[in-house]
Coordinates of all heavy atoms in Angstrom, one line a residue:
M10 N -30.5 -4.9 -16.6 CA -30.6 -6.3 -16.1 C -31.6 -7.1 -17.0 O -31.4 -8.3 -17.3 CB -31.0 -6.4 -14.6 CG -29.8 -6.1 -13.7 SD -28.3 -7.0 -14.0 CE -28.6 -8.5 -13.0
I11 N -32.7 -6.5 -17.3 CA -33.8 -7.1 -18.1 C -33.2 -7.4 -19.5 O -33.4 -8.5 -20.0 CB -35.1 -6.3 -18.1 CG1 -35.7 -6.2 -16.7 CG2 -36.1 -6.8 -19.1 CD1 -36.6 -5.0 -16.5
D12 N -32.5 -6.4 -20.1 CA -31.9 -6.6 -21.4 C -30.9 -7.8 -21.4 O -30.9 -8.6 -22.3 CB -31.2 -5.4 -21.9 CG -32.3 -4.4 -22.4 OD1 -33.4 -4.8 -22.6 OD2 -31.9 -3.2 -22.5
N13 N -30.1 -7.9 -20.3 CA -29.1 -8.9 -20.2 C -29.8 -10.3 -20.1 O -29.4 -11.2 -20.8 CB -28.3 -8.8 -18.9 CG -27.1 -7.9 -19.2 OD1 -26.7 -7.7 -20.3 ND2 -26.5 -7.5 -18.1
N14 N -31.0 -10.4 -19.4 CA -31.7 -11.6 -19.3 C -32.3 -12.0 -20.6 O -32.3 -13.2 -21.0 CB -32.8 -11.5 -18.2 CG -32.3 -11.6 -16.8 OD1 -31.2 -12.2 -16.6 ND2 -33.1 -11.1 -15.9
K15 N -32.8 -11.0 -21.4 CA -33.3 -11.3 -22.7 C -32.3 -11.8 -23.6 O -32.5 -12.8 -24.3 CB -33.9 -10.0 -23.3 CG -35.4 -9.9 -23.0 CD -36.0 -8.6 -23.8 CE -37.4 -8.4 -23.4 NZ -37.8 -7.0 -23.9
Q16 N -31.1 -11.2 -23.5 CA -30.0 -11.6 -24.4 C -29.6 -13.1 -24.0 O -29.4 -13.9 -24.9 CB -28.8 -10.7 -24.1 CG -27.9 -10.6 -25.4 CD -26.8 -9.6 -25.1 OE1 -26.5 -9.2 -24.0 NE2 -26.1 -9.2 -26.2
F17 N -29.5 -13.3 -22.7 CA -29.2 -14.6 -22.2 C -30.2 -15.7 -22.7 O -29.8 -16.7 -23.2 CB -29.1 -14.6 -20.7 CG -28.8 -15.9 -20.1 CD1 -27.4 -16.3 -20.1 CD2 -29.7 -16.7 -19.4 CE1 -27.1 -17.6 -19.5 CE2 -29.4 -17.9 -18.9 CZ -28.0 -18.4 -18.9
L18 N -31.5 -15.3 -22.6 CA -32.5 -16.2 -23.0 C -32.4 -16.5 -24.5 O -32.5 -17.7 -25.0 CB -33.9 -15.6 -22.7 CG -34.6 -16.3 -21.5 CD1 -35.9 -15.5 -21.2 CD2 -34.9 -17.7 -21.8
S19 N -32.2 -15.5 -25.3 CA -32.2 -15.7 -26.8 C -30.9 -16.5 -27.2 O -31.0 -17.3 -28.1 CB -32.2 -14.3 -27.5 OG -31.1 -13.6 -27.2
Q20 N -29.9 -16.3 -26.4 CA -28.6 -17.1 -26.6 C -28.9 -18.6 -26.3 O -28.4 -19.4 -27.0 CB -27.5 -16.5 -25.8 CG -26.2 -16.6 -26.5 CD -25.2 -15.6 -26.0 OE1 -25.2 -15.3 -24.8 NE2 -24.3 -15.1 -26.8
Q21 N -29.6 -18.8 -25.2 CA -29.9 -20.1 -24.8 C -30.7 -20.8 -25.9 O -30.5 -22.0 -26.2 CB -30.7 -20.1 -23.5 CG -29.9 -19.7 -22.3 CD -29.0 -20.9 -21.8 OE1 -27.8 -20.9 -22.2 NE2 -29.5 -21.8 -21.0
L22 N -31.8 -20.1 -26.4 CA -32.6 -20.6 -27.5 C -31.8 -20.9 -28.7 O -32.0 -21.9 -29.4 CB -33.7 -19.6 -27.8 CG -34.9 -19.5 -26.8 CD1 -35.8 -18.4 -27.2 CD2 -35.7 -20.8 -26.9
L23 N -30.8 -20.0 -29.0 CA -29.9 -20.2 -30.1 C -29.1 -21.5 -30.0 O -29.0 -22.4 -30.9 CB -28.9 -19.1 -30.3 CG -28.0 -19.1 -31.5 CD1 -28.7 -18.7 -32.7 CD2 -26.8 -18.2 -31.2
W24 N -28.6 -21.7 -28.7 CA -27.8 -23.0 -28.5 C -28.7 -24.2 -28.5 O -28.3 -25.2 -29.0 CB -27.1 -22.9 -27.1 CG -25.9 -22.1 -27.2 CD1 -25.6 -20.9 -26.6 CD2 -24.7 -22.5 -27.9 NE1 -24.4 -20.5 -27.0 CE2 -23.8 -21.5 -27.7 CE3 -24.3 -23.6 -28.6 CZ2 -22.5 -21.5 -28.3 CZ3 -23.0 -23.7 -29.1 CH2 -22.1 -22.6 -29.0
I25 N -30.0 -24.1 -28.1 CA -30.9 -25.2 -28.1 C -31.1 -25.6 -29.6 O -31.1 -26.7 -30.0 CB -32.2 -24.9 -27.4 CG1 -32.0 -24.9 -25.9 CG2 -33.3 -25.9 -27.7 CD1 -33.1 -24.2 -25.1
G26 N -31.3 -24.5 -30.4 CA -31.5 -24.7 -31.9 C -30.3 -25.4 -32.5 O -30.4 -26.3 -33.3
I27 N -29.1 -24.9 -32.1 CA -27.9 -25.5 -32.7 C -27.7 -27.0 -32.3 O -27.5 -27.8 -33.1 CB -26.6 -24.7 -32.2 CG1 -26.6 -23.3 -32.9 CG2 -25.3 -25.5 -32.5 CD1 -25.6 -22.4 -32.3
S28 N -28.0 -27.3 -31.0 CA -27.9 -28.7 -30.5 C -28.9 -29.6 -31.2 O -28.7 -30.7 -31.5 CB -27.9 -28.7 -29.0 OG -28.9 -27.9 -28.5
L29 N -30.1 -29.0 -31.4 CA -31.2 -29.8 -32.1 C -30.8 -30.1 -33.5 O -31.0 -31.2 -34.0 CB -32.5 -29.0 -32.0 CG -33.4 -29.2 -30.8 CD1 -34.6 -28.3 -30.9 CD2 -33.9 -30.7 -30.8
G30 N -30.2 -29.1 -34.2 CA -29.8 -29.2 -35.5 C -28.7 -30.3 -35.6 O -28.7 -31.2 -36.5
I31 N -27.7 -30.3 -34.6 CA -26.6 -31.2 -34.6 C -27.2 -32.6 -34.4 O -26.8 -33.6 -35.1 CB -25.6 -30.8 -33.5 CG1 -24.8 -29.6 -34.0 CG2 -24.6 -32.0 -33.3 CD1 -24.0 -29.0 -32.9
S32 N -28.1 -32.8 -33.5 CA -28.7 -34.1 -33.2 C -29.5 -34.6 -34.4 O -29.4 -35.8 -34.7 CB -29.5 -34.1 -31.9 OG -30.6 -33.1 -32.0
L33 N -30.2 -33.7 -35.1 CA -30.9 -34.1 -36.3 C -29.9 -34.6 -37.3 O -30.1 -35.7 -38.0 CB -31.7 -33.0 -36.8 CG -33.2 -32.9 -36.4 CD1 -33.8 -31.6 -36.9 CD2 -33.9 -34.1 -37.0
A34 N -28.8 -33.8 -37.5 CA -27.8 -34.2 -38.5 C -27.2 -35.6 -38.2 O -27.0 -36.4 -39.1 CB -26.7 -33.1 -38.6
I35 N -26.9 -35.8 -36.9 CA -26.3 -37.1 -36.4 C -27.3 -38.2 -36.7 O -26.9 -39.3 -37.2 CB -25.9 -37.0 -35.0 CG1 -24.7 -36.1 -34.8 CG2 -25.5 -38.4 -34.4 CD1 -24.5 -35.7 -33.3
S36 N -28.6 -38.0 -36.4 CA -29.6 -39.1 -36.6 C -29.8 -39.3 -38.1 O -30.2 -40.5 -38.5 CB -30.9 -38.7 -35.9 OG -31.4 -37.5 -36.4
F37 N -29.5 -38.3 -39.0 CA -29.5 -38.6 -40.4 C -28.3 -39.4 -40.9 O -28.4 -40.2 -41.8 CB -29.6 -37.3 -41.2 CG -31.0 -36.8 -41.4 CD1 -31.4 -35.6 -40.9 CD2 -31.9 -37.5 -42.1 CE1 -32.7 -35.1 -41.1 CE2 -33.2 -37.1 -42.3 CZ -33.6 -35.9 -41.8
L38 N -27.2 -39.0 -40.3 CA -25.9 -39.6 -40.7 C -25.7 -41.1 -40.2 O -25.2 -41.9 -40.9 CB -24.7 -38.8 -40.3 CG -24.5 -37.5 -41.0 CD1 -23.5 -36.6 -40.3 CD2 -24.0 -37.8 -42.4
L39 N -26.2 -41.3 -38.9 CA -26.0 -42.6 -38.3 C -27.3 -43.3 -38.1 O -28.3 -42.6 -37.8 CB -25.3 -42.4 -36.9 CG -23.9 -41.9 -37.0 CD1 -23.4 -41.5 -35.6 CD2 -22.9 -42.9 -37.6
P40 N -27.4 -44.6 -38.1 CA -28.6 -45.4 -37.8 C -28.9 -45.2 -36.3 O -28.1 -45.0 -35.5 CB -28.2 -46.8 -38.2 CG -26.7 -46.9 -38.1 CD -26.3 -45.5 -38.5
F41 N -30.2 -45.4 -36.0 CA -30.8 -45.0 -34.7 C -30.0 -45.5 -33.5 O -29.6 -44.7 -32.6 CB -32.2 -45.4 -34.5 CG -32.7 -45.3 -33.1 CD1 -32.8 -44.1 -32.5 CD2 -33.0 -46.5 -32.4 CE1 -33.3 -44.0 -31.2 CE2 -33.5 -46.3 -31.1 CZ -33.6 -45.1 -30.5
P42 N -29.7 -46.8 -33.3 CA -29.0 -47.2 -32.0 C -27.6 -46.6 -31.9 O -27.2 -46.4 -30.8 CB -29.0 -48.7 -32.1 CG -29.2 -49.1 -33.6 CD -30.0 -48.0 -34.2
L43 N -27.0 -46.3 -33.0 CA -25.6 -45.7 -33.0 C -25.7 -44.2 -32.7 O -24.8 -43.7 -32.0 CB -24.9 -46.0 -34.3 CG -24.0 -47.2 -34.4 CD1 -23.5 -47.4 -35.8 CD2 -22.8 -47.0 -33.4
S44 N -26.7 -43.6 -33.2 CA -26.8 -42.1 -33.1 C -27.0 -41.6 -31.7 O -26.6 -40.6 -31.3 CB -27.9 -41.6 -34.1 OG -29.1 -42.1 -33.7
L45 N -27.7 -42.5 -30.9 CA -28.2 -42.0 -29.6 C -27.0 -41.7 -28.6 O -26.9 -40.6 -28.1 CB -29.1 -43.1 -28.9 CG -30.0 -42.6 -27.9 CD1 -31.0 -41.6 -28.4 CD2 -30.7 -43.8 -27.2
P46 N -26.0 -42.6 -28.5 CA -24.8 -42.2 -27.6 C -24.0 -41.1 -28.1 O -23.6 -40.2 -27.4 CB -24.0 -43.5 -27.5 CG -24.4 -44.3 -28.7 CD -25.9 -44.0 -28.9
V47 N -23.9 -41.0 -29.5 CA -23.2 -39.9 -30.1 C -23.9 -38.5 -29.8 O -23.2 -37.5 -29.4 CB -23.1 -40.1 -31.6 CG1 -22.4 -38.8 -32.3 CG2 -22.3 -41.3 -31.9
I48 N -25.2 -38.5 -29.9 CA -26.0 -37.3 -29.6 C -25.8 -36.9 -28.1 O -25.6 -35.7 -27.8 CB -27.5 -37.5 -29.9 CG1 -27.7 -37.5 -31.4 CG2 -28.4 -36.4 -29.3 CD1 -29.1 -38.1 -31.8
I49 N -25.8 -37.9 -27.2 CA -25.7 -37.6 -25.8 C -24.3 -37.0 -25.5 O -24.2 -36.0 -24.8 CB -25.9 -38.9 -24.9 CG1 -27.3 -39.3 -25.0 CG2 -25.4 -38.7 -23.5 CD1 -27.6 -40.7 -24.5
V50 N -23.2 -37.6 -26.1 CA -21.9 -37.1 -26.0 C -21.8 -35.6 -26.5 O -21.2 -34.8 -25.8 CB -20.8 -38.0 -26.7 CG1 -19.5 -37.3 -26.8 CG2 -20.7 -39.3 -25.9
V51 N -22.4 -35.4 -27.7 CA -22.4 -34.0 -28.3 C -23.1 -33.1 -27.3 O -22.6 -31.9 -27.1 CB -23.0 -34.1 -29.7 CG1 -23.3 -32.6 -30.2 CG2 -22.1 -34.8 -30.7
F52 N -24.2 -33.5 -26.8 CA -24.9 -32.6 -25.9 C -24.1 -32.3 -24.6 O -24.1 -31.1 -24.2 CB -26.3 -33.3 -25.4 CG -27.4 -32.8 -26.2 CD1 -27.9 -33.6 -27.3 CD2 -28.1 -31.6 -26.0 CE1 -28.9 -33.1 -28.1 CE2 -29.1 -31.2 -26.7 CZ -29.6 -32.0 -27.8
I53 N -23.4 -33.3 -24.1 CA -22.6 -33.0 -22.9 C -21.5 -32.0 -23.2 O -21.2 -31.1 -22.5 CB -22.1 -34.4 -22.3 CG1 -23.2 -35.2 -21.7 CG2 -21.0 -34.1 -21.3 CD1 -22.8 -36.7 -21.5
L54 N -20.8 -32.3 -24.3 CA -19.7 -31.4 -24.8 C -20.2 -30.0 -25.0 O -19.6 -29.0 -24.6 CB -19.1 -31.9 -26.0 CG -18.2 -33.2 -25.9 CD1 -17.7 -33.7 -27.2 CD2 -17.0 -32.9 -24.9
L55 N -21.4 -29.9 -25.6 CA -22.0 -28.5 -25.9 C -22.3 -27.8 -24.6 O -22.0 -26.6 -24.5 CB -23.2 -28.7 -26.8 CG -23.1 -28.4 -28.3 CD1 -24.4 -28.7 -29.0 CD2 -22.7 -27.0 -28.5
S56 N -22.9 -28.5 -23.7 CA -23.3 -27.9 -22.4 C -22.0 -27.4 -21.6 O -22.1 -26.4 -21.0 CB -24.2 -28.8 -21.5 OG -23.4 -29.9 -21.1
Y57 N -20.9 -28.2 -21.7 CA -19.7 -27.8 -21.1 C -19.2 -26.5 -21.8 O -18.7 -25.6 -21.1 CB -18.6 -28.9 -21.3 CG -18.5 -29.8 -20.1 CD1 -18.9 -31.1 -20.1 CD2 -17.9 -29.3 -18.9 CE1 -18.8 -31.9 -19.0 CE2 -17.8 -30.1 -17.8 CZ -18.3 -31.4 -17.8 OH -18.2 -32.2 -16.8
Y58 N -19.2 -26.5 -23.1 CA -18.8 -25.3 -23.9 C -19.6 -24.1 -23.5 O -19.0 -23.0 -23.3 CB -18.9 -25.7 -25.4 CG -18.4 -24.5 -26.3 CD1 -17.1 -24.1 -26.3 CD2 -19.4 -23.9 -27.1 CE1 -16.7 -23.1 -27.1 CE2 -19.0 -22.9 -27.9 CZ -17.6 -22.5 -27.9 OH -17.3 -21.5 -28.8
I59 N -20.9 -24.3 -23.5 CA -21.8 -23.1 -23.1 C -21.5 -22.6 -21.7 O -21.4 -21.4 -21.5 CB -23.3 -23.6 -23.3 CG1 -23.6 -23.9 -24.7 CG2 -24.2 -22.4 -22.7 CD1 -24.9 -24.7 -24.9
R60 N -21.3 -23.5 -20.8 CA -21.0 -23.1 -19.4 C -19.7 -22.4 -19.3 O -19.6 -21.4 -18.6 CB -21.0 -24.4 -18.5 CG -21.4 -24.1 -17.1 CD -21.5 -25.3 -16.3 NE -22.6 -26.2 -16.7 CZ -22.7 -27.4 -16.3 NH1 -21.9 -28.0 -15.4 NH2 -23.7 -28.2 -16.7
N61 N -18.7 -22.9 -20.0 CA -17.4 -22.2 -20.1 C -17.5 -20.8 -20.6 O -16.9 -19.8 -20.1 CB -16.4 -23.0 -20.9 CG -15.7 -24.1 -20.1 OD1 -15.9 -24.1 -18.9 ND2 -15.0 -24.9 -20.8
R62 N -18.3 -20.6 -21.7 CA -18.5 -19.3 -22.3 C -19.2 -18.4 -21.3 O -18.8 -17.2 -21.2 CB -19.4 -19.5 -23.6 CG -18.6 -19.6 -24.8 CD -19.5 -19.9 -26.0 NE -20.5 -18.8 -26.1 CZ -20.5 -17.9 -27.1 NH1 -19.5 -18.0 -28.0 NH2 -21.3 -17.0 -27.2
A63 N -20.2 -18.9 -20.6 CA -21.0 -18.1 -19.7 C -20.1 -17.7 -18.5 O -20.1 -16.5 -18.1 CB -22.2 -18.9 -19.1
M64 N -19.2 -18.6 -18.1 CA -18.3 -18.3 -17.0 C -17.3 -17.2 -17.4 O -17.0 -16.3 -16.6 CB -17.5 -19.5 -16.6 CG -18.4 -20.6 -15.9 SD -18.7 -20.4 -14.2 CE -17.3 -21.3 -13.5
K65 N -16.8 -17.3 -18.6 CA -15.9 -16.3 -19.1 C -16.5 -14.9 -19.2 O -15.9 -13.9 -18.8 CB -15.3 -16.7 -20.5 CG -14.1 -17.6 -20.4 CD -13.6 -17.9 -21.8 CE -12.5 -19.0 -21.7 NZ -12.2 -19.5 -23.0
K66 N -17.8 -14.9 -19.7 CA -18.5 -13.7 -19.8 C -18.7 -13.0 -18.4 O -18.6 -11.9 -18.2 CB -19.9 -13.9 -20.5 CG -19.8 -13.7 -21.9 CD -21.2 -13.6 -22.5 CE -21.1 -13.4 -24.0 NZ -22.4 -13.4 -24.7
M67 N -19.1 -13.9 -17.4 CA -19.3 -13.4 -16.1 C -18.0 -12.9 -15.5 O -18.0 -11.8 -14.8 CB -19.9 -14.5 -15.2 CG -21.4 -14.6 -15.3 SD -22.0 -16.2 -14.8 CE -22.1 -16.0 -13.1
G68 N -16.9 -13.5 -15.8 CA -15.6 -13.1 -15.3 C -15.3 -11.7 -15.9 O -14.8 -10.9 -15.2
M69 N -15.5 -11.6 -17.2 CA -15.3 -10.3 -17.8 C -16.1 -9.2 -17.2 O -15.6 -8.1 -16.9 CB -15.6 -10.4 -19.3 CG -14.4 -10.9 -20.1 SD -14.9 -11.3 -21.8 CE -15.2 -9.7 -22.4
A70 N -17.4 -9.5 -17.0 CA -18.3 -8.5 -16.4 C -17.8 -8.1 -15.0 O -17.8 -7.0 -14.6 CB -19.7 -9.1 -16.3
G71 N -17.3 -9.1 -14.3 CA -16.8 -8.9 -12.9 C -15.7 -7.9 -12.9 O -15.6 -7.0 -12.1
S72 N -14.7 -8.1 -13.9 CA -13.6 -7.2 -13.9 C -14.0 -5.8 -14.3 O -13.4 -4.9 -13.9 CB -12.5 -7.8 -14.8 OG -12.9 -7.7 -16.2
V73 N -15.0 -5.7 -15.2 CA -15.4 -4.4 -15.6 C -16.1 -3.7 -14.4 O -15.8 -2.5 -14.2 CB -16.5 -4.5 -16.8 CG1 -17.2 -3.2 -17.0 CG2 -15.8 -4.9 -18.0
F74 N -16.9 -4.4 -13.6 CA -17.5 -3.7 -12.5 C -16.5 -3.5 -11.4 O -16.7 -2.6 -10.6 CB -18.7 -4.6 -12.0 CG -19.9 -4.5 -12.9 CD1 -20.4 -5.6 -13.5 CD2 -20.6 -3.3 -13.0 CE1 -21.5 -5.5 -14.4 CE2 -21.7 -3.2 -13.9 CZ -22.2 -4.3 -14.5
G75 N -15.5 -4.3 -11.3 CA -14.5 -4.2 -10.2 C -13.6 -2.9 -10.4 O -12.9 -2.5 -9.5
G76 N -13.6 -2.4 -11.7 CA -12.8 -1.2 -11.9 C -11.5 -1.5 -12.5 O -11.3 -1.4 -13.7
N77 N -10.6 -2.0 -11.7 CA -9.2 -2.3 -12.2 C -9.2 -3.7 -12.8 O -9.8 -4.6 -12.3 CB -8.2 -2.2 -11.1 CG -8.0 -0.8 -10.6 OD1 -7.9 0.1 -11.4 ND2 -7.9 -0.6 -9.3
G78 N -8.6 -3.9 -14.0 CA -8.4 -5.2 -14.6 C -7.5 -6.0 -13.7 O -6.7 -5.5 -12.9
S79 N -7.6 -7.3 -13.8 CA -6.8 -8.2 -12.9 C -5.4 -8.2 -13.4 O -4.5 -8.6 -12.6 CB -7.4 -9.6 -13.0 OG -7.6 -10.1 -14.3
S80 N -5.1 -7.8 -14.6 CA -3.7 -7.9 -15.1 C -2.9 -6.7 -14.6 O -1.6 -6.8 -14.6 CB -3.7 -7.9 -16.6 OG -4.3 -6.8 -17.1
V81 N -3.5 -5.6 -14.2 CA -2.8 -4.4 -13.7 C -2.8 -4.4 -12.2 O -3.9 -4.5 -11.6 CB -3.4 -3.2 -14.3 CG1 -2.7 -1.9 -13.8 CG2 -3.4 -3.2 -15.8
S82 N -1.7 -4.2 -11.6 CA -1.6 -4.1 -10.1 C -0.8 -2.8 -9.8 O 0.0 -2.4 -10.6 CB -1.0 -5.3 -9.4 OG -0.9 -6.4 -10.3
Y83 N -1.0 -2.3 -8.6 CA -0.3 -1.1 -8.2 C 0.6 -1.4 -7.0 O 0.2 -2.2 -6.1 CB -1.3 0.0 -7.8 CG -2.1 0.5 -9.0 CD1 -3.4 0.0 -9.3 CD2 -1.5 1.4 -9.9 CE1 -4.1 0.4 -10.4 CE2 -2.3 1.8 -11.0 CZ -3.5 1.3 -11.3 OH -4.2 1.7 -12.4
Y84 N 1.7 -0.8 -7.0 CA 2.7 -1.0 -5.8 C 2.9 0.3 -5.2 O 3.2 1.3 -5.9 CB 4.0 -1.7 -6.4 CG 3.8 -3.1 -6.9 CD1 3.5 -3.3 -8.2 CD2 3.9 -4.2 -6.1 CE1 3.3 -4.6 -8.7 CE2 3.8 -5.5 -6.6 CZ 3.5 -5.6 -7.9 OH 3.3 -6.9 -8.4
C85 N 3.0 0.3 -3.9 CA 3.3 1.5 -3.1 C 4.7 1.9 -3.4 O 5.6 1.1 -3.4 CB 3.1 1.2 -1.6 SG 3.5 2.5 -0.5
M86 N 4.9 3.2 -3.5 CA 6.2 3.8 -3.9 C 7.1 3.8 -2.6 O 8.3 3.7 -2.8 CB 6.1 5.2 -4.4 CG 5.5 5.3 -5.8 SD 6.6 5.2 -7.2 CE 7.0 6.9 -7.4
S87 N 6.5 3.9 -1.4 CA 7.4 4.0 -0.3 C 7.7 2.7 0.4 O 8.8 2.5 0.9 CB 6.8 5.0 0.7 OG 5.4 4.9 0.8
C88 N 6.7 1.7 0.4 CA 7.0 0.4 1.1 C 6.8 -0.8 0.2 O 7.2 -1.9 0.6 CB 6.1 0.3 2.3 SG 4.3 -0.1 1.9
G89 N 6.3 -0.6 -1.0 CA 6.3 -1.7 -2.0 C 5.2 -2.6 -1.9 O 5.1 -3.7 -2.5
T90 N 4.2 -2.3 -1.0 CA 3.0 -3.2 -0.9 C 2.1 -3.2 -2.1 O 1.9 -2.1 -2.7 CB 2.2 -2.7 0.3 OG1 3.0 -2.7 1.5 CG2 1.0 -3.7 0.6
K91 N 1.7 -4.3 -2.6 CA 0.8 -4.4 -3.7 C -0.6 -4.2 -3.3 O -1.1 -4.8 -2.3 CB 0.9 -5.8 -4.3 CG 0.1 -6.0 -5.6 CD 0.3 -7.5 -6.1 CE -0.8 -7.8 -7.1 NZ -0.8 -9.2 -7.5
H92 N -1.2 -3.2 -3.8 CA -2.6 -2.8 -3.5 C -3.3 -2.2 -4.6 O -2.7 -1.7 -5.6 CB -2.7 -2.0 -2.2 CG -2.1 -0.6 -2.4 ND1 -2.8 0.5 -2.8 CD2 -0.8 -0.2 -2.3 CE1 -2.1 1.5 -2.9 NE2 -0.8 1.2 -2.6
N93 N -4.7 -2.1 -4.6 CA -5.4 -1.5 -5.7 C -6.3 -0.4 -5.1 O -7.3 0.0 -5.7 CB -6.3 -2.5 -6.4 CG -5.5 -3.4 -7.4 OD1 -4.6 -2.8 -8.0 ND2 -5.8 -4.6 -7.5
Q94 N -5.9 0.2 -4.0 CA -6.7 1.3 -3.4 C -6.0 2.6 -3.7 O -4.9 2.7 -4.2 CB -6.8 1.0 -1.9 CG -7.8 0.0 -1.5 CD -7.3 -0.9 -0.4 OE1 -6.5 -0.5 0.4 NE2 -7.9 -2.1 -0.3
S95 N -6.7 3.7 -3.4 CA -6.2 5.0 -3.7 C -5.0 5.3 -2.8 O -4.1 6.0 -3.2 CB -7.3 6.1 -3.5 OG -7.8 6.0 -2.2
S96 N -5.0 4.8 -1.6 CA -3.8 5.0 -0.7 C -3.4 3.6 -0.1 O -4.2 2.7 0.0 CB -4.2 6.0 0.4 OG -5.3 5.5 1.2
C97 N -2.1 3.5 0.2 CA -1.6 2.3 0.7 C -2.2 1.8 2.0 O -2.3 2.6 2.9 CB -0.1 2.4 0.9 SG 0.7 1.0 1.5
P98 N -2.7 0.6 2.1 CA -3.3 0.1 3.3 C -2.3 -0.1 4.5 O -2.7 -0.2 5.6 CB -4.0 -1.2 2.9 CG -3.2 -1.7 1.8 CD -2.7 -0.4 1.0
K99 N -1.0 -0.1 4.1 CA 0.0 -0.4 5.1 C 0.6 0.9 5.7 O 0.7 1.0 6.9 CB 1.1 -1.2 4.5 CG 1.8 -2.2 5.4 CD 2.8 -3.1 4.6 CE 3.4 -4.1 5.5 NZ 4.4 -5.0 4.8
C100 N 1.0 1.8 4.8 CA 1.6 3.0 5.3 C 0.8 4.3 5.0 O 1.2 5.4 5.4 CB 3.1 3.1 4.8 SG 3.1 3.5 3.0
G101 N -0.2 4.2 4.2 CA -1.1 5.4 3.9 C -0.6 6.3 2.8 O -1.2 7.3 2.5
S102 N 0.5 5.9 2.2 CA 1.1 6.8 1.1 C 0.2 6.7 -0.1 O -0.3 5.6 -0.5 CB 2.5 6.3 0.8 OG 2.9 6.9 -0.4
K103 N 0.0 7.8 -0.8 CA -0.8 7.9 -2.0 C 0.0 7.7 -3.3 O -0.5 7.6 -4.4 CB -1.6 9.2 -2.1 CG -2.8 9.1 -1.1 CD -3.8 10.2 -1.3 CE -5.0 10.0 -0.3 NZ -6.0 11.1 -0.4
M104 N 1.3 7.7 -3.1 CA 2.2 7.5 -4.2 C 2.3 6.0 -4.6 O 2.5 5.1 -3.7 CB 3.6 8.0 -3.9 CG 3.7 9.4 -3.6 SD 3.7 10.4 -5.0 CE 5.4 10.4 -5.6
K105 N 2.0 5.6 -5.8 CA 2.0 4.2 -6.2 C 2.5 4.2 -7.7 O 2.4 5.1 -8.5 CB 0.7 3.6 -6.0 CG -0.5 4.2 -6.8 CD -1.8 3.6 -6.4 CE -2.9 4.3 -7.2 NZ -4.2 3.7 -6.9
R106 N 3.0 3.0 -8.0 CA 3.4 2.7 -9.4 C 2.7 1.5 -10.0 O 2.3 0.6 -9.2 CB 4.9 2.6 -9.5 CG 5.4 1.4 -8.7 CD 7.0 1.3 -8.9 NE 7.5 0.2 -8.0 CZ 7.5 -1.1 -8.4 NH1 7.1 -1.4 -9.6 NH2 8.0 -2.0 -7.6
V107 N 2.5 1.5 -11.3 CA 1.8 0.4 -11.9 C 2.9 -0.7 -12.2 O 3.9 -0.5 -12.7 CB 1.2 0.8 -13.3 CG1 0.5 -0.4 -13.9 CG2 0.2 1.9 -13.0
G108 N 2.5 -2.0 -11.8 CA 3.4 -3.1 -12.1 C 2.5 -4.3 -12.6 O 1.3 -4.2 -12.7
S109 N 3.2 -5.4 -12.9 CA 2.4 -6.5 -13.4 C 2.6 -7.7 -12.4 O 3.6 -7.7 -11.7 CB 2.9 -6.9 -14.8 OG 4.3 -7.1 -14.8
Ligands
LIG833 ZN1 3.0 1.7 1.5

């Protein structure tokens, strides 16, 4: 967990550096009153992008810890109930097949 936090922190620092570089580049390219709204828009877009990336990573981690991937489901061989347990919650049969 500590390593994950460190990685997260260094990634945050990297993103801060990238956004600072972008804002510097914009302020060089555009005169001051024009550059300000552009920098704000870029910051908002970047923060949305970073949040989406973090959400995707958390989702991936969740599926890894959950065991079975969300794309694979199991169906009971005797009653056809969709479940991801070792035995069917409806009829208790341990026979199951993989479906999508
Ligand atoms: Zn069943």
Side-chain angles (χ1 to χ4, degrees):
M10 282 307 272
I11 292 157
D12 280 346
N13 271 347
N14 280 341
K15 265 186 188 168
Q16 209 176 15
F17 181 74
L18 254 175
S19 62
Q20 215 156 33
Q21 290 284 95
L22 282 173
L23 182 78
W24 277 112
I25 289 164
I27 288 167
S28 43
L29 269 175
I31 288 167
S32 58
L33 265 174
I35 290 165
S36 59
F37 271 120
L38 286 167
L39 294 168
F41 168 68
L43 265 174
S44 62
L45 205 64
V47 175
I48 287 167
I49 289 165
V50 167
V51 167
F52 263 96
I53 290 165
L54 286 176
L55 259 177
S56 66
Y57 264 109
Y58 179 68
I59 293 162
R60 208 173 295 168
N61 276 349
R62 267 174 59 105
M64 292 279 268
K65 270 183 193 167
K66 268 195 178 174
M67 275 159 80
M69 273 168 72
S72 70
V73 166
F74 285 116
N77 294 316
S79 52
S80 58
V81 179
S82 344
Y83 296 97
Y84 293 90
C85 175
M86 290 269 271
S87 37
C88 73
T90 305
K91 184 182 165 187
H92 66 90
N93 282 325
Q94 283 141 22
S95 56
S96 57
C97 178
K99 212 172 182 181
C100 70
S102 169
K103 285 194 175 174
M104 298 283 279
K105 59 186 181 182
R106 63 180 175 84
V107 179
S109 52

